Amino acid sequence: MESGRCSGPALLEEINRHPCYNEEAHRYFARMHLPVAPACNIQCRYCNRKFDCVNESRPGVVSEVLTPDQADKKVRGVAAQLMQLSVVGIAGPGDPLANPDRTFETFRKVRSGVPDVNLCLSTNGLTLLEHLDVIEELGIRHVTITINAIDPEIGSRIYAWVYDNGVRYEGKEAAELLISRQLAGLKALSERGVLCKVNSVLIPGVNDVHLPEVSKTVKSLGAALHNVTPLIVAPGSPYEQEGQRAPRPKELHALQEICGQEGMKIMRHCRQCRADAIGLLGQDRSADFTWESIEQAPPLNLEAREQLQASLDEKIRQRQQRRRGPDPEIIASDSSEAARFITRVAVATRGSGKVNLHFGHAQEFMIYESDGFTVKLLGVRKIQSYCHGRAECNGDKEATLREICSILGDCQILLCSGIGDHPRKQLQRAGIVPIVRKGDAENLILESSRYSHYFQNHFNSKG
Ligand code: CLF
Ligand code: SF4
């Protein structure tokens, strides 16, 4: 059995091709989740067991739970068709380590069936310490632990109960047990060289003020990345009954900034995927991979996969090279007036780092900030799509449009490949200037933000 440890170029490749650990990679490399783990050993107050685990998934959709054999078959079929598939993860629908036999049997099969993918595990961390050896032995190089609090008092407002070794714990005692296991597990895994990411669910009024401390602590224990995600209250969960609200985009951005100031690397492109998601982040193709398509898949071609993935590595390398430092020509031609503006830009994209999606078909927008020289990803905002797949945008969905205007309320520019007349006017009225272009998103963001001072004057915007 191969060792879980690796270093140098191989380690670099693991990160470079992981769509969650590497912001650049998420435009090109795909992940696949295997929903083989139905049970859970804790009760988060935002979760309803009838739905997927909301630590790594969106509630409201029940997954088809697969057996390890079915999962093995599916991975082989998907990898044979989806050449950019670089990561296979287990993230639910319950907790993978509350179903250790199913989880590790599946990983074992994937490791031998599709040897070129990285294995990824997402857990609440309660039983992590028991599984360190098998994680290392199987070469699982990426582990996510969801840590919502390090203070048991706060934790007791997040977890209803914890079930461990036949005993059910509640209140502060439950939180204390869970938190101590999470932190010890994180430290032990990091010491073994596993790349650990910590997810924290931002719960307004419960752990919002506390999360910077969480960030600082998990960094000191070796976490490589912190992913603060907005609370999604599952229907029928205790939080729904209590009327707990979800955070606003502004609150999430502000908190991510604060956590980043503590020196932690912050993930901003999380899509809170389903436990059975397949494809690029933000472009779930699980519905395309039916059992019929799996049966008809061509044989796995590892050489072709490597060729395609090496070409994606090269695309990323070129993008990174373009990013290094401002373009001297731009600086020379820039006026001091333009340089004063920081512009927030919403982008409609199907991925690959391009503006290539019609406004009406977008189900999310990537939000960037640019001063005309640099571009920074702030996050992703999900919306209800305006057109619902219809070809024509007509103005009969005012409520949806009003909601989109409010969600994008702090943006000055919207980049998309097309937009109907009515939504264009409504967005302009809300102070958001829609620009219809296709092409490299980063270049278009830079270009449009350099002219944002002009747009802001011209369209009587919010300023
Ligand atoms: Fe899946 Fe999670 Fe691995 Fe990624 S997702 S198990 S680390 S391969 Fe990624 Fe999805 Fe966010 Fe998770 S975008 S929910 S962070
Ligand atoms: Fe639900 Fe996941 Fe929490 Fe378990 S760990 S209660 S499945 S959100």
Side-chain angles (χ1 to χ4, degrees), residues 317-379:
R317 201 189 57 76
Q318 285 172 5
R319 276 178 69 90
Q320 280 168 338
Q321 227 164 28
R322 280 205 306 273
R323 278 183 136 195
R324 256 176 230 133
D327 180 342
E329 278 181 37
I330 295 168
I331 291 180
S333 65
D334 181 66
S335 75
S336 56
E337 188 191 6
R340 283 206 308 268
F341 287 91
I342 300 279
T343 307
R344 219 164 250 196
V345 184
V347 174
T349 176
R350 288 181 206 282
S352 305
K354 300 242 186 310
V355 177
N356 53 8
L357 187 60
H358 192 281
F359 166 79
H361 300 160
Q363 292 179 312
E364 63 176 31
F365 292 101
M366 305 289 289
I367 309 295
Y368 293 88
E369 210 166 61
S370 175
D371 57 2
F373 303 129
T374 55
V375 175
K376 181 179 162 196
L377 177 67
L378 290 188

Side-chain angles (χ1 to χ4, degrees), residues 147-169:
I147 304 179
N148 297 320
I150 53 166
D151 177 343
E153 200 69 55
I154 296 172
S156 69
R157 295 169 61 199
I158 302 173
Y159 309 108
W161 52 257
V162 164
Y163 193 80
D164 188 55
N165 275 325
V167 182
R168 184 183 153 115
Y169 300 86

Side-chain angles (χ1 to χ4, degrees), residues 273-284:
C273 340
R274 293 163 41 140
D276 57 1
I278 303 175
L280 296 178
L281 304 190
Q283 192 196 56
D284 187 1

Side-chain angles (χ1 to χ4, degrees), residues 37-49 51-57 91-96 123-125 146 148 158-159 161 201:
C40 192
N41 43 14
I42 69 171
Q43 177 64 62
C44 305
R45 290 183 194 274
Y46 44 73
C47 176
N48 177 353
R49 290 290 163 66
F51 301 101
D52 287 348
C53 171
V54 286
N55 284 338
E56 286 275 325
S57 64
D95 187 77
T123 175
N124 61 38
T146 299
N148 297 320
I158 302 173
Y159 309 108
W161 52 257
V201 180

